[in-house]
């Protein structure tokens, strides 16, 4: 089955800095890569996703890049703000077959004011 | 407007006393999922429904059961909760199988005394 590795487990940055979280996946058939943000005491919420037919996607301060050859994808947050502090999960899934998303272990992002 | 609703938000039960958690959705999605999430860990899939078709994860204990009486509602039954079952339980939905966004509810925090 699919295996998703996520690094780092904890990331501490100063407000205004950039943050990068990286994930690798094992199954080359995976073609959908969402990122979820989970605030304390809440359920995960999708913040951005990317499909295997594109290499990069951007939404304001958040961007995701995908390297299919290397089987890794990354989340980039620029100009971080204290409200970006949360746990971020990457995931990988595929159309059809074993279609349940596989989650990474999560990254706790702390943005210091 | 809440799209995936979980009740109750907090549940305290005694060791061995059956408990039911509920989830409802206003999205009319075909797939509903139940996850167990323990502190500082990724959500762990227990089972999911694709319409009425039930899919159990191989490592989900028999102590956990689920019902989906209609498209909108799904229930998680824990027949004899143990101390190790204390966790956040997350319900999620998606429009279909494969590469679709998951919508998570706020979760139910279960405490076992």
């Amino acid at each position: 089955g699919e295996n998703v590795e996520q690094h780092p487990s904890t990331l501490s940055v100063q407000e205004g800095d950039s943050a990068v979280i990286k994930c690798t996946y094992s199954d080359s058939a995976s073609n959908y890569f969402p990122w979820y943000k989970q605030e304390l005491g809440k359920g995960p919420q999708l913040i951005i996703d990317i499909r295997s037919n594109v290499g990069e996607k951007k939404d304001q301060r958040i961007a995701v890049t995908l390297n299919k050859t290397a089987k890794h994808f990354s989340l980039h947050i620029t100009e971080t703000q204290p409200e970006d502090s949360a746990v971020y999960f990457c995931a990988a899934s595929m159309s059809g077959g074993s279609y349940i998303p596989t989650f990474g272990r999560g990254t706790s992002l702390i943005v210091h004011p | 407007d809440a799209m995936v609703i979980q009740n109750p938000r907090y549940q305290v039960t005694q060791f061995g006393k059956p408990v039911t958690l509920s989830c409802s959705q206003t999205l009319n999605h075909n797939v509903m999922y139940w996850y167990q999430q323990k502190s500082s860990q990724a959500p762990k899939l227990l089972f999911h429904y694709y319409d009425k078709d039930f899919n159990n994860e191989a490592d989900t204990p028999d102590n956990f059961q689920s019902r989906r009486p209609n498209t909108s509602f799904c229930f998680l039954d824990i027949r004899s909760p143990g101390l190790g079952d204390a966790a956040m339980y997350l319900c999620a939905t998606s429009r279909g199988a494969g590469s679709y966004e998951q919508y998570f509810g706020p979760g139910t925090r279960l405490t076992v005394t």
Side-chain angles (χ1 to χ4, degrees):
Chain A
E2 176 65 278
N3 182 49
V4 177
E5 300 283 341
Q6 182 173 349
H7 299 280
S9 57
T10 305
L11 181 58
S12 183
V13 301
Q14 289 296 127
E15 183 176 1
D17 288 350
S18 295
V20 180
I21 303 170
K22 299 181 179 181
C23 289
T24 60
Y25 61 99
S26 60
D27 194 333
S28 57
S30 289
N31 58 10
Y32 176 62
F33 307 93
W35 285 89
Y36 292 90
K37 176 184 181 182
Q38 186 174 25
E39 297 177 340
L40 196 62
K42 298 183 179 180
Q45 300 297 313
L46 182 80
I47 55 170
I48 197 168
D49 56 11
I50 192 168
R51 300 181 187 275
S52 59
N53 57 345
V54 298
E56 183 173 1
K57 184 177 179 180
K58 190 173 181 180
D59 183 3
Q60 299 182 332
R61 296 186 297 109
I62 295 172
V64 57
T65 58
L66 171 65
N67 183 327
K68 286 190 295 181
T69 302
K71 290 189 281 190
H72 66 71
F73 56 112
S74 300
L75 177 71
H76 304 254
I77 306 174
T78 59
E79 301 172 24
T80 54
Q81 301 167 3
E83 51 265 39
D84 294 330
S85 297
V87 179
Y88 292 80
F89 292 99
C90 64
S93 67
M94 64 188 77
S95 303
S98 177
Y99 49 75
I100 302 303
T102 300
F103 283 85
R105 296 175 66 88
T107 296
S108 177
L109 175 64
I110 303 166
V111 181
H112 299 282
Chain B
D1 294 330
M3 297 179 288
V4 182
I5 302 161
Q6 291 189 243
N7 286 304
R9 294 292 314 278
Y10 302 91
Q11 176 73 57
V12 180
T13 191
Q14 293 177 333
F15 182 94
K17 185 175 181 181
V19 66
T20 295
L21 310 182
S22 74
C23 177
S24 63
Q25 54 137 338
T26 59
L27 298 162
N28 203 34
H29 280 174
N30 294 316
V31 191
M32 295 187 78
Y33 311 79
W34 278 106
Y35 288 89
Q36 179 192 66
Q37 187 178 32
K38 296 189 175 180
S39 182
S40 302
Q41 295 183 20
K44 179 182 181 298
L45 184 67
L46 296 173
F47 24 60
H48 73 280
Y49 279 91
Y50 193 119
D51 292 330
K52 295 182 179 180
D53 292 334
F54 177 71
N55 298 272
N56 196 35
E57 292 300 296
D59 58 354
T60 299
D62 293 339
N63 195 29
F64 292 85
Q65 303 287 319
S66 184
R67 297 169 283 135
R68 189 180 185 184
N70 53 52
T71 300
S72 300
F73 285 86
C74 196
F75 300 96
L76 169 62
D77 301 307
I78 308 176
R79 294 193 295 187
S80 181
L83 297 179
D85 296 327
M88 175 77 88
Y89 289 87
L90 295 165
C91 174
T93 72
S94 63
R95 184 158 57 94
S99 52
Y100 289 96
E101 173 187 356
Q102 287 181 298
Y103 292 79
F104 284 85
T108 295
R109 171 73 63 186
L110 178 68
T111 300
V112 182
T113 62

